[in-house]
Amino acid sequence: GGTTQDVTDAANWVVAEEGIATISATGLVTGVGTGETVVNTVYQGVIGSASIRITDGGSGPQEQPGTEVSIRVIGKNKETLFSGTVTLKESDQWGINALGALHKTGLSYSYDSISYIHTIAGQGPQGMNGWMYKVNGRIPNIPAVEYNLQSGDNVEWFYSTDPINMIGSGGGSSLSTNLTQDPIKTGDEIVLNTPSTQKEVVIGVENREDKKVSFTPSTIKGLADGNKKLTIENEGVKVGFTPQSLLTEELTGVLNDEKAKLEIGVQELTLAMKEELLEQAKVGQRTGLFDVGGKIFDFTAQVSHISTDGSTSSEKIDSFNEPVAITIDLSDITLSKEDITKLTGIRYEKDEQGTINPVKLGGTYNPETKTFTFYTDKFSLYGVLKVKDLVKITLQVNKMNTKVNGEEGWTDVPPTIINNRTMVPVRLIAETLGADVNWIDETRTVEIILKGKKLSLVIGENLPEMDTSATIVNNRTLVPLRYVSENLGANVMWFPSTRKIEIVK
């Protein structure tokens, strides 16, 4: 409308290389290493970015050291799930309190109301048994998120099997109060009960019979406008949505329909279903994909609404505006260091002939939490496998630094966007993916050959079903990234908020 607004505090801030710099929720950058990185910010679809160079000898505002506390988490069988010290800061998601200490352990946790943490590390309430917390040996009578900590405090989260202690003891859990309420709230109710200052809404579905949670479109729009993340958890897995990722075409089409519902499901396959799927996907020596014993999950997202004739129809969400983070717990699996380097997230896709095709998505293993996180832009069946050969390329639009299988590198012509298509140097992608590249000067054609398959791209001529052609920039041939990568058997993931690209084969 011609007016301006300061949205610094509301925008989502991201730094590309956290080993070089960190960034607070309000955009304050702090150098922690030397080198170059990129800061990106997004607010309601508007993106800004800045290149930052951190050099030795700089001086500037120093971030406060934080509040260090000790914390133990004791499970239902009296096993120690975590023991150590954590450092809390006001800029953390929950701040300096007992819930913030739990968050810093890296253990998964779920709640229907932020005042009641009902599940930690997949261990949920049973009858009157459930989670409580102590500070310096005493059980407070306020929720954990409201108990502010001091440096040197000792925090203990424990699974209580003493119903007398549980009732009226506070402990941040208030289990006796929650048992008198409807244990299965809608997504709208949980979001409504989440403090406005909280940047993430976490919802567990492990205690829901259908393992699903539903929202009205306006609630999802409110999360996006408030720049809040949404995380859906089931035992052994969590799915993280960025604020804008769920504002898809299917949802925005019914945004004003309060009878419409977005339903998200996270369900584990049975052992028999998993074994059948792995057999259909031909997991084994023949494909170079190997089962490590992890679980496989079925993720679903669909929008349902009532038509003018009174009938109800549902529409599956085919893709998300921003990739979704999937984190799978592998703590029950024995993995060697070599195994860990070969792990990849897998999406199981079914083609028109009914054949199951496993798609490699890469990912990162966290040795502290023993979890594996990867990204996807659409829902299907997912798990983690070990692969014989894995190639992962990370690029960023207008940035010359590259990363191939974790090794830093450079390109003299960075990825660029032409006609809404990401264009990359042909040799950087094709040769890294194992293909040969030939240049035919007479016809100004670049040939890409891999295992008998040949792609021919003529400079200036549009590709089939595309409005973009190969082009030359600074004496380097640029080709459409997705077209070439997918024809060479790789999967491409595009992150709009940071303009990052991940190619995995």
Side-chain angles (χ1 to χ4, degrees):
T3 62
T4 60
Q5 179 183 0
D6 184 348
V7 295
T8 301
D9 292 345
N12 184 33
W13 295 89
V14 179
V15 64
E17 301 291 342
E18 293 185 350
I20 296 175
T22 60
I23 192 164
S24 71
T26 57
L28 176 64
V29 176
T30 302
V32 296
T34 60
E36 293 187 1
T37 187
V38 178
V39 168
N40 291 281
T41 183
V42 60
Y43 178 75
Q44 295 186 0
V46 179
I47 299 173
S49 64
S51 297
I52 292 180
R53 177 179 297 168
I54 308 297
T55 59
D56 289 333
S59 61
Q62 297 297 310
E63 190 172 358
Q64 293 301 309
T67 300
E68 188 173 279
V69 300
S70 300
I71 178 170
R72 294 180 66 208
V73 183
I74 309 300
K76 63 172 60 178
N77 296 316
K78 308 304 180 185
E79 74 277 22
T80 300
L81 301 176
F82 182 92
S83 179
T85 59
V86 296
T87 301
L88 307 178
K89 301 178 182 179
E90 288 291 352
S91 58
D92 292 342
Q93 178 176 334
W94 300 111
I96 306 174
N97 52 55
L99 179 56
L102 173 63
H103 182 79
K104 279 299 185 75
T105 66
L107 296 172
S108 64
Y109 58 93
S110 305
Y111 54 85
D112 285 340
S113 167
I114 194 57
S115 298
Y116 167 44
I117 306 301
H118 59 67
T119 301
I120 298 177
Q123 299 183 13
Q126 294 179 339
M128 294 297 291
N129 300 334
W131 288 96
M132 300 177 65
Y133 81 99
K134 299 178 183 178
V135 178
N136 300 327
R138 187 181 68 85
I139 299 177
N141 198 34
I142 59 174
V145 73
E146 297 178 11
Y147 192 102
N148 295 324
L149 298 174
Q150 303 293 325
S151 182
D153 280 347
N154 294 302
V155 181
E156 180 178 310
W157 282 85
F158 63 99
Y159 191 93
S160 172
T161 56
D162 183 354
I164 296 177
N165 246 349
M166 182 70 71
I167 297 176
S169 65
S173 296
S174 305
L175 183 58
S176 59
T177 302
N178 279 275
L179 288 173
T180 66
Q181 301 172 357
D182 181 2
I184 304 301
K185 297 183 175 69
T186 67
D188 294 344
E189 292 172 321
I190 296 172
V191 172
L192 183 63
N193 290 329
T194 301
S196 59
T197 56
Q198 186 178 319
K199 288 294 185 180
E200 181 181 15
V201 178
V202 183
I203 300 175
V205 298
E206 58 267 30
N207 296 321
R208 298 171 185 262
E209 185 175 355
D210 58 0
K211 311 304 180 186
K212 296 178 180 179
V213 62
S214 62
F215 308 84
T216 57
S218 59
T219 294
I220 298 300
K221 179 65 162 54
L223 288 174
D225 290 344
N227 199 38
K228 291 180 182 291
K229 298 178 182 179
L230 174 65
T231 297
I232 309 297
E233 294 187 345
N234 198 349
E235 187 171 353
V237 66
K238 60 181 180 180
V239 184
F241 300 90
T242 64
Q244 301 291 329
S245 60
L246 285 169
L247 287 182
T248 64
E249 181 179 340
E250 295 86 355
L251 190 75
T252 55
V254 293
L255 202 54
N256 297 320
D257 184 357
E258 285 302 315
K259 293 184 179 180
K261 297 288 183 183
L262 166 66
E263 187 177 67
I264 301 175
V266 180
Q267 188 161 8
E268 179 188 351
L269 265 62
T270 64
L271 181 59
M273 294 170 67
K274 171 191 169 179
E275 291 177 347
E276 181 180 356
L277 180 68
L278 294 180
E279 182 178 353
Q280 292 179 7
K282 297 181 173 56
V283 171
Q285 190 68 39
R286 178 180 172 186
T287 58
L289 299 170
F290 304 94
D291 182 25
V292 295
K295 299 176 180 179
I296 294 179
F297 297 91
D298 183 12
F299 303 126
T300 57
Q302 65 177 19
V303 176
S304 61
H305 64 98
I306 301 176
S307 304
T308 54
D309 61 0
S311 61
T312 301
S313 60
S314 298
E315 186 176 8
K316 178 183 175 182
I317 294 181
D318 290 324
S319 61
F320 301 105
N321 291 351
E322 183 89 13
V324 175
I326 296 176
T327 300
I328 294 179
D329 184 4
L330 301 180
S331 60
D332 293 336
I333 303 171
T334 301
L335 296 168
S336 67
K337 290 183 178 180
E338 183 181 1
D339 290 337
I340 290 172
T341 62
K342 296 181 178 181
L343 294 178
T344 180
I346 293 289
R347 179 170 64 230
Y348 297 92
E349 295 184 350
K350 182 181 289 188
D351 61 21
E352 295 178 355
Q353 289 73 40
T355 303
I356 301 295
N357 298 307
V359 177
K360 302 175 189 175
L361 300 172
T364 304
Y365 181 79
N366 186 325
E368 294 184 1
T369 60
K370 296 183 179 180
T371 57
F372 192 78
T373 299
F374 56 92
Y375 290 85
T376 183
D377 50 10
K378 57 185 175 182
F379 271 179
S380 184
L381 299 172
Y382 290 88
V384 177
L385 296 178
K386 183 175 70 172
V387 298
K388 183 178 180 180
D389 298 303
L390 183 69
V391 178
K392 179 180 175 181
I393 309 169
T394 303
L395 309 169
Q396 198 163 8
V397 171
N398 295 332
K399 303 302 172 186
M400 293 184 177
N401 52 309
T402 64
K403 188 177 288 187
V404 178
N405 291 340
E407 296 292 328
E408 298 284 351
W410 298 87
T411 176
D412 51 359
V413 177
T416 187
I417 295 179
I418 301 175
N419 290 339
N420 291 322
R421 306 285 183 186
T422 303
M423 308 289 287
V424 295
V426 60
R427 292 189 184 275
L428 171 65
I429 298 301
E431 293 182 350
T432 304
L433 294 176
D436 294 321
V437 179
N438 299 321
W439 170 255
I440 303 175
D441 193 51
E442 295 82 1
T443 57
R444 292 171 59 81
T445 301
V446 59
E447 286 185 345
I448 305 170
I449 304 170
L450 178 64
K451 296 180 179 179
K453 182 175 183 178
K454 182 170 71 174
L455 296 177
S456 296
L457 295 83
V458 181
I459 302 299
E461 288 188 10
N462 286 352
L463 295 164
E465 301 179 1
M466 294 187 69
D467 56 359
T468 303
S469 63
T471 187
I472 296 178
V473 175
N474 293 340
N475 294 321
R476 292 288 184 267
T477 301
L478 301 187
V479 295
L481 168 66
R482 189 175 294 276
Y483 177 84
V484 171
S485 299
E486 293 182 350
N487 271 284
L488 294 178
N491 182 71
V492 178
M493 196 73 63
W494 165 248
F495 295 78
S497 62
T498 59
R499 299 199 294 179
K500 185 179 75 171
I501 309 140
E502 285 189 357
I503 306 105
V504 179
K505 179 183 178 184

